[in-house]
Amino acid sequence: MQNLEAKHEIMAEEIWLKYYNEVLFEKKLITVEQRDKMILAIESRCDRKRKQQKAI
């Protein structure tokens, strides 16, 4: 059960960060390049967390 909860937390974090990133872009607070770079960083971070979770 703990594993499922961790997966949900990672998924929720990824969704929230991508949403917030898009809001910043829509409000013209960041450029398209910054948005795209941040998307890659978010995906990389969440993938690392998923791999760490599998190792446990």
Side-chain angles (χ1 to χ4, degrees):
M1 190 63 167
Q2 200 173 23
N3 192 21
L4 184 59
E5 288 175 19
K7 286 181 181 181
H8 286 168
E9 284 181 21
I10 295 167
M11 188 183 307
E13 177 182 355
E14 185 173 15
I15 291 168
W16 168 248
L17 290 172
K18 285 183 175 181
Y19 167 78
Y20 189 66
N21 188 48
E22 192 61 31
V23 168
L24 293 174
F25 175 69
E26 288 174 2
K27 292 186 179 223
K28 305 210 184 302
L29 296 172
I30 61 174
T31 66
V32 68
E33 292 85 10
Q34 290 170 316
R35 180 195 66 179
D36 293 346
K37 184 176 179 181
M38 188 55 68
I39 289 170
L40 293 175
I42 292 165
E43 290 173 352
S44 177
R45 172 188 168 98
C46 292
D47 286 344
R48 256 192 330 271
K49 285 186 166 190
R50 286 184 186 101
K51 286 178 185 173
Q52 286 174 348
Q53 198 57 34
K54 285 181 184 178
I56 294 176

